[in-house]
């Protein structure tokens, strides 16, 4: 007898559509038979990881028969020192994506809901649906707002009810690059009931140079329902190793540590993350390259009369003035991989990661070929 193994899956899982990652360079080159292609699709650091992190990895390869330190002692100590919190407040994850899923697994489920904004990071609805929670999506600011497509805190607050266990806020948000200032975010968190966790996803915080951008880890002592997530995938250039973390109250961290896999972060990832934190020169250089590249890309858009969503991250979502999917496809044929974001409700935008100067130029030249034609 044959069964319908799709229909047998949990109800929430049946409705999932998989996360669509940026197209890997190897895949494009295999499909088109080309070489020398350029990927600006996953907000990776164009400078790569810290050379110190790479060097540390080499010395560990003969230890790979051993399990990692499941408690991540050294890295949690180091992060605690960095953030001025207790090590018991830190939960390590296989990327911060892992931590977001741990939060959903521990705090969400049927009869509970999560609140997030339209155009927010796609992992939030995925993680929530997988555990059968209701999704409360709030409308974002309009296209002509001062923060186009950005999070509308009033609209988010209005979607919170007694069954809301988590509000997800990305600051800055991906794929819009929009951000929330300290006063607005602080007042929002203070207004929430204690029964609602607020997860502030700071995957791109190191890039933000605005004076009013908050370091929310400073508020952890005041708000036991606050969870801040960060990652080594973006500015630290370690996306391939998969390591990120949450900083929270010790109570929330205790719960997350009960549901995580015992060895969810590898020996290599923990060691590389430690080195990356110490290499402040690499971080500073990454910020500088990004600042210049973002300024160049936005100026190039203005020269061409192309709209874009003002961004404080390491990416820019550009309004190509027509349905973006065919533009994306045509760029692939030029060997340039960017990210279509129709799945985020932005079908005329393409998100491009800020690269090094020659990479940004190559992208713009390819875009000129495609949309100028
Ligand atoms: C990239 C990204 C993450 C994290 O990715 P990991 O590689 O899993 O750490 C989290 N949130 C946002 C908004 C991102 O863009």
């Amino acid at each position: 007898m044959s069964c319908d193994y799709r229909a047998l899956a949990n109800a929430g899982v049946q409705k999932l559509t998989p996360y669509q990652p940026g197209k890997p360079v190897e895949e494009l080159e295999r499909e088109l038979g080309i070489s020398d292609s350029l990927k600006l699709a996953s907000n990776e650091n164009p400078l790569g990881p810290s050379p110190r992190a790479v060097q540390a990895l080499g010395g560990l390869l003969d230890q790979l028969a051993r399990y990692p330190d499941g408690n991540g002692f050294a890295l949690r100590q180091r992060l605690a020192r960095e953030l001025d919190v207790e090590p018991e407040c830190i939960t390590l994850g296989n990327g911060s994506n892992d931590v977001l899923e741990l939060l959903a697994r521990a705090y969400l489920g049927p009869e509970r809901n999560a609140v997030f904004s339209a155009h927010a990071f796609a992992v939030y609805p995925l993680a929530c649906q997988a555990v059968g929670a209701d999704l409360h999506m709030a409308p974002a600011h309009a296209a002509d707002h001062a923060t186009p497509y950005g999070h509308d805190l009033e609209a988010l607050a209005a979607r919170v009810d007694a069954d809301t266990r988590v509000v997800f806020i990305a600051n800055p948000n991906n794929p819009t690059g929009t951000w929330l200032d300290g006063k607005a975010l602080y007042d929002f968190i203070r207004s929430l009931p204690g029964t609602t966790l607020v997860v502030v996803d700071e995957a791109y915080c190191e890039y933000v140079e605005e004076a009013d951008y908050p370091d929310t880890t400073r508020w952890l002592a005041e708000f036991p329902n606050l969870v801040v997530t960060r990652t080594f995938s973006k500015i630290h250039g370690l996306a391939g190793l998969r390591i990120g973390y949450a900083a929270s109250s010790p109570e929330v961290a205790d719960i997350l540590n009960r549901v995580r896999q015992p060895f969810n972060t590898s020996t290599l990832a923990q060691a590389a993350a430690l080195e990356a934190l110490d290499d402040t020169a690499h971080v500073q250089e990454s910020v500088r390259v990004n600042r210049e590249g973002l300024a160049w890309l936005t100026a190039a858009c203005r020269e061409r009369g192309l709209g874009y969503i003002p961004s404080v991250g390491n990416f820019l979502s550009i309004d190509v003035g027509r349905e973006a999917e065919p533009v994306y496809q045509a760029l692939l044929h030029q060997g340039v991989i960017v990210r279509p974001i129709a799945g985020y409700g932005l079908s005329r935008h393409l998100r491009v990661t800020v690269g090094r100067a020659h990479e940004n130029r190559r992208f713009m030249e390819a875009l000129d070929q495609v949309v100028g034609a």
Side-chain angles (χ1 to χ4, degrees), residues 3-320:
C3 299
D4 182 345
Y5 290 103
R6 289 198 176 86
L8 283 171
N10 296 333
V13 176
Q14 285 185 41
K15 281 181 270 169
L16 291 180
T17 47
Y19 179 80
Q20 292 192 342
K23 196 176 187 64
V25 162
E26 295 75 16
E27 184 179 303
L28 177 71
E29 298 191 346
R30 196 165 60 233
E31 287 172 2
L32 296 184
I34 60 174
S35 58
D36 194 31
S37 58
L38 169 65
K39 183 185 177 204
L40 297 174
S42 300
N43 302 342
E44 295 149 341
N45 187 336
L47 302 183
S50 154
R52 289 176 52 174
V54 174
Q55 202 185 2
L57 296 178
L60 290 168
L61 298 181
D62 61 354
Q63 291 181 33
L64 291 182
R66 302 227 179 265
Y67 279 99
D69 173 2
N71 289 316
F73 178 81
L75 180 55
R76 286 172 65 223
Q77 292 279 332
R78 176 72 179 79
L79 286 167
R81 193 152 40 85
E82 183 91 5
L83 304 180
D84 196 19
V85 298
E86 295 301 318
E88 291 70 34
C89 298
I90 306 292
T91 306
L92 299 181
N94 191 247
S96 55
N97 198 139
D98 186 25
V99 177
L100 297 170
E101 289 199 11
L102 296 179
L103 284 159
R105 193 133 64 88
Y107 286 98
L108 293 168
E111 259 114 85
R112 297 172 170 205
N113 69 71
V115 169
F116 54 90
S117 175
H119 317 306
F121 188 44
V123 163
Y124 313 147
L126 277 176
C128 299
Q129 269 181 293
V131 297
D134 285 333
L135 310 179
H136 284 192
M137 196 200 276
H141 288 309
D144 60 358
H145 187 272
T147 308
Y149 306 105
H151 287 16
D152 178 342
L153 291 175
E154 275 180 38
L156 284 164
R159 298 294 273 131
V160 173
D161 63 27
D163 297 323
T164 304
R165 285 292 164 274
V166 184
V167 178
F168 290 100
I169 290 187
N171 194 32
N173 182 48
N174 169 21
T176 58
T178 51
W179 65 287
L180 296 162
D181 69 62
K183 175 159 185 0
L185 188 54
Y186 180 89
D187 289 346
F188 174 79
I189 297 170
R190 205 177 43 180
S191 78
L192 290 176
T195 49
T196 298
L197 297 184
V198 53
V199 177
V200 183
D201 177 345
E202 298 186 344
Y204 302 96
C205 63
E206 298 90 346
Y207 286 107
V208 185
E209 300 190 278
E210 316 300 312
D212 299 335
Y213 179 73
D215 178 355
T216 50
T217 60
R218 300 280 167 80
W219 306 341
L220 285 167
E222 184 176 355
F223 298 122
N225 59 335
L226 172 63
V227 182
V228 182
T229 66
R230 293 186 180 169
T231 182
F232 290 89
S233 297
K234 303 293 161 53
I235 203 157
H236 293 297
L238 294 171
L241 275 181
R242 313 303 305 129
I243 185 141
Y245 63 95
S248 68
S249 62
E251 290 81 8
V252 170
D254 172 40
I255 288 294
L256 298 181
N257 274 297
R258 294 184 201 187
V259 290
R260 72 173 176 82
Q261 289 179 40
F263 304 105
N264 64 334
T265 63
S266 72
T267 305
L268 298 184
Q270 290 177 26
L274 274 170
E275 291 297 326
L277 285 169
D278 283 342
D279 196 347
T280 51
H282 186 71
V283 170
Q284 281 168 14
E285 176 65 0
S286 302
V287 170
R288 186 191 67 76
V289 167
N290 188 65
R291 182 195 309 128
E292 291 183 0
L294 187 58
W296 187 89
L297 280 170
T298 54
C301 286
R302 286 194 298 274
E303 275 167 29
R304 290 160 174 79
L306 292 171
Y308 59 85
I309 308 175
S311 171
V312 295
N314 68 339
F315 54 89
L316 185 68
S317 286
I318 299 173
D319 182 346
V320 295

